């Protein structure tokens, strides 16, 4: 165990984590130059296309220093706030972290939030100043910021460049010298933290674990602490570029186990793995459950594909433990799932992965958050879907989740950012100048307001400089009402939303205008209405496509024409009673991008 080091790389999005990981793999000879490609560890098509890390990737490297051989277990983590659950799981499996800061951009919101996560777990932090080769790098100013934030000595900060490979040898030396080896007793009962899992169509579910205490051998009988399921360790090994089989793994090591688990519900990320014969008495603590921020319904386009969608969601949940879902049904869309996501990007990625990896075409409803509704009799219920809201006559009050949002930006953009946050019902709580031209603002605002387009608008008004991070602070009472969208008098429950009373009229009008553009014209007239209870606040009409029935009447008495028009009118009326309005998928998505 003296020669093992477990560490992860944490940073704000786009500060060069995956590129630096490439250099570490190259320097230790884990990957041959022939197999190396940009961001080697990002193996998903989506990650390579978008240039972001979505999944944490664990890999083992061998390193030789001062006549000793060391084993370095590295976990490369995502930087986007929507994938912070991946980061928290990686941190739980490590003793140290490399904190990367971009030398041209300085400390950003996610840098701070990931640093606090690592400090809560008492990790040893190695500060790294990355992208030192850029012409726009400001190493001295950013080092001042890092000293203030970390309280470290200036010479502890390692200057590096993921692109050129500068500082990599110094970094490897620092990892060995500064990060403590894992502690644990190889002779104690087995206690291993399951920090990730993937689905393999041939081998079943592969679980990744970090052993805290004890030893596991090939062929041992193991069991999971929470699910109480028992299995045989068919294969154990370590995670190199390709998994490598081992006969035995002991305390401090990171590895994988294949035990023929077929069903997703039999394994829970964060569970403790132990022996069947000599089990550990306590589970590993300090691993928190996921808290979804945004809820949306996902429905199959063809209702017959419901079971296939369930199967696809379960397999996806193995690979992405922050996805939560439960069955629900909708009058407009049939059977589907109510899903919880960590943010809008997370929701977009899940939808795209369902289409790419499982060939599922799905409809996603308008995302919202969960509320608490209190009835006049004092009952409290959770409302995840606007259609669950109790009758207004029995409703006493509604509480919605609030967040504390930290925004770090250049001081030039303070005015526009404040306007945006106040428009979204935010209250400024604090404003601190980190340096002469960088300011951190703290707002309290409703989570529902940032679900839609807040992040996109923040990026555009700050020319891409503002970084944003948030955490929940509890529920507060708000003046919320349910806005119903009706087509020909029938409410479309997938388009209804819970919104603040002040925004109801403008939002209702906008949705009606947008739907008028998107709903194709039918043989009959379609009335699009937005209503609050029995009160209609906006209406648009999609005109009918009609045939010119009077074309054959040339001259003659007006009564001939009238007779034909009356006959057509009756037909249209009958058609309207039995005709149904098809709402295209774009309409559900367009509601999100109203501004």
């Amino acid at each position: 165990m003296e020669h093992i080091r477990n560490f992860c790389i944490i940073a704000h999005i786009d500060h060069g984590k995956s590129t630096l990981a490439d250099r570490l793999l190259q320097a230790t000879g884990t990957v041959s130059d022939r197999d190396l490609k940009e961001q080697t560890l990002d193996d998903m098509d989506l990650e390579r296309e978008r240039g972001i890390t979505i999944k944490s990737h664990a890999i083992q490297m061998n390193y030789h220093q001062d006549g000793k051989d060391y084993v370095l277990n590295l976990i490369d983590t995502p930087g986007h706030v929507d994938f912070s659950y991946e980061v928290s799981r990686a941190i739980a499996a490590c003793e140290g972290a490399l904190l990367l800061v971009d030398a041209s951009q300085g400390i950003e919101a996610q840098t701070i939030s990931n640093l606090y996560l690592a400090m809560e777990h008492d990790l040893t932090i190695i500060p790294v100043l990355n992208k030192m080769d850029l012409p726009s790098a400001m190493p001295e100013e950013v080092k001042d910021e890092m000293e203030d934030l970390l309280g470290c000595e200036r010479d502890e900060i390692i200057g590096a460049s993921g692109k050129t490979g500068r500082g990599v040898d110094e970094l490897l030396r620092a990892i060995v010298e500064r990060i403590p080896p894992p502690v644990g007793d190889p002779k104690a009962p087995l206690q291993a933290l399951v920090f990730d899992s993937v689905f393999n169509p041939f081998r079943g579910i592969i679980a990744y674990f970090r052993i805290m205490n004890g030893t596991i051998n090939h062929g041992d009988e193991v069991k999971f602490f929470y699910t109480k399921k028992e299995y045989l360790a068919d294969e154990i090994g370590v995670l190199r570029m390709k998994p490598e089989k081992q006969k035995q793994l002991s305390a401090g090591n990171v590895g994988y186990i294949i035990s023929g688990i077929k069903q997703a519900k039999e394994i829970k990320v964060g569970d403790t793995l132990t022996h069947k014969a000599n089990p550990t008495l306590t589970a590993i603590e300090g691993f928190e459950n996921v808290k979804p921020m945004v809820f949306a319904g996902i429905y199959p386009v063809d209702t017959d594909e419901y079971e296939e969608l369930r199967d696809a969601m379960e397999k996806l949940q193995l690979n992405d433990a922050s996805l939560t879902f439960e069955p629900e049904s909708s009058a407009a869309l049939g059977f589907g799932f109510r899903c919880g996501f960590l943010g809008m990007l997370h929701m977009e990625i899940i939808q795209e992965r369902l289409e790419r990896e499982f060939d599922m075409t799905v409809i996603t409803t308008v995302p919202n958050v969960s509320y608490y509704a209190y009835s006049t009799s004092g009952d409290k219920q959770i409302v995840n879907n606007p259609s669950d809201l109790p009758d207004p006559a029995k409703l006493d009050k509604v509480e919605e989740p609030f967040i504390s949002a930290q925004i770090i930006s250049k001081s030039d953009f303070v005015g526009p950012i404040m306007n945006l946050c106040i428009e979204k019902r935010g209250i400024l709580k604090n404003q601190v100048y980190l340096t002469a031209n960088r300011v951190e603002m703290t707002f309290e605002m409703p989570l529902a307001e940032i679900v839609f387009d807040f992040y996109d608008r923040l990026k555009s008004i700050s020319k891409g400089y503002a970084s944003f991070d948030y955490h929940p602070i509890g529920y507060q009472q708000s003046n919320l009402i349910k806005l119903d969208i009706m087509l020909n008098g029938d409410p479309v429950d997938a388009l209804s939303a819970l919104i603040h009373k002040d925004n109801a009229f403008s939002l209702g009008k906008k949705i009606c205008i947008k739907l008028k553009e998107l709903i194709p014209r039918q043989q009959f007239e379609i009335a699009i209405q937005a209503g609050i209870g029995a009160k209609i606040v906006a209406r648009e009409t999609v005109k009918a496509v009609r045939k010119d029935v009077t074309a054959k009447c040339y001259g003659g008495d007006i009564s001939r024409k009238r007779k034909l028009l009356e006959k057509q009118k009756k037909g249209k009326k009958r058609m309207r009673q039995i005709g149904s309005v098809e709402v295209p998928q774009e309409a559900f998505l367009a509601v999100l991008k109203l501004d």
Side-chain angles (χ1 to χ4, degrees), residues 519-555:
I519 290 179
R521 289 173 72 183
Q522 312 272 350
Q523 291 278 349
F524 51 91
E525 201 174 82
I526 302 168
I528 303 169
Q529 295 166 309
I532 300 165
K535 184 179 176 186
I536 302 296
V537 293
R539 172 183 169 132
E540 293 288 328
T541 308
V542 179
K543 291 283 179 230
V545 183
R546 49 171 289 225
K547 185 177 163 192
D548 189 359
V549 286
T550 57
K552 62 184 178 189
C553 299
Y554 186 70

Side-chain angles (χ1 to χ4, degrees), residues 195-442:
F195 66 88
D196 209 349
S197 58
V198 291
F199 179 77
N200 181 314
F202 305 107
R203 309 290 309 267
I205 292 160
I206 303 172
Y208 297 164
F209 58 81
R210 150 79 204 272
I211 305 179
M212 301 297 180
N213 289 306
T215 305
I216 183 169
N217 294 296
H218 171 244
D220 280 357
E221 289 188 334
V222 294
K223 82 173 205 183
F224 288 96
F225 202 86
Y226 284 112
T227 55
K228 303 276 191 288
K229 299 276 185 193
E230 296 173 0
Y231 302 99
L232 198 69
D234 292 339
E235 184 183 314
I236 58 168
V238 293
L239 299 155
R240 306 293 296 241
M241 276 313 282
K242 291 192 170 70
E244 277 184 17
K245 280 190 201 178
Q246 301 282 335
K247 285 269 183 271
Q248 185 184 59
L249 290 172
S250 61
N253 256 310
V254 174
Y256 70 90
I257 178 170
I258 299 176
S259 51
I261 307 173
K262 291 287 186 290
Q263 286 183 316
K265 57 175 178 285
E266 293 179 21
I267 187 165
K268 180 176 183 286
V269 169
D271 203 345
T272 303
L273 181 71
T274 186
H275 276 131
K276 180 184 166 187
N278 181 17
T280 175
L281 301 175
T282 52
I284 298 166
E285 291 297 321
F287 190 80
E288 54 193 58
N289 271 332
V290 59
K291 293 194 242 1
M293 292 289 172
V294 176
F295 296 89
I298 287 188
Y299 294 85
V301 171
D302 184 358
T303 43
D304 299 345
E305 292 178 351
Y306 175 71
E307 283 303 326
E308 287 164 46
L309 180 63
R310 178 199 292 273
D311 210 34
M313 299 279 274
E314 283 179 354
K315 286 174 185 166
L316 201 52
Q317 193 180 33
L318 283 176
N319 202 307
D320 183 350
S322 49
L323 169 68
T324 57
F325 64 91
E326 55 187 43
E328 76 161 359
S329 63
S330 142
L333 299 169
F335 288 103
F337 295 97
R338 180 110 205 119
C339 304
F341 307 98
L342 296 183
M344 289 297 280
L345 177 71
H346 188 209
M347 172 175 144
E348 206 179 306
I349 295 286
I350 292 289
Q351 196 177 343
E352 205 149 326
R353 285 183 70 183
L354 281 171
E355 287 183 12
R356 288 191 186 198
E357 294 172 28
F358 303 99
D359 280 341
M360 295 295 311
T361 337
V362 293
I363 292 177
T364 315
T365 63
V366 180
N368 59 11
V369 296
S370 56
Y371 302 87
Y372 284 129
Y374 292 85
S375 64
T376 43
S377 57
D379 294 336
K380 171 182 169 183
Q381 82 178 71
I382 291 186
V383 177
N384 280 333
N385 199 339
S387 53
D388 301 342
L389 197 70
D391 180 30
K394 295 177 184 161
L395 190 64
D396 178 27
K397 60 177 181 180
V398 179
E399 289 183 350
E400 64 175 332
F402 271 67
I403 57 161
S404 169
Q406 281 89 26
I407 297 171
I408 297 181
S409 165
K410 285 196 165 179
S411 48
D412 316 359
F413 307 116
V414 169
I417 288 172
M418 280 195 178
N419 283 342
L420 172 68
C421 292
I422 289 163
E423 179 196 324
K424 297 281 188 188
R425 299 192 281 138
I427 300 162
L428 181 67
K429 286 290 178 188
N430 196 1
Q431 188 173 349
V432 183
Y433 277 83
L434 300 171
T435 62
N437 66 344
R438 283 170 71 76
V439 60
E440 179 186 12
M441 292 177 275
T442 308

Side-chain angles (χ1 to χ4, degrees), residues 81-92:
V81 59
D82 281 13
F83 306 114
S84 54
Y85 189 58
E86 291 281 333
V87 184
S88 74
R89 302 205 319 255
I91 284 173

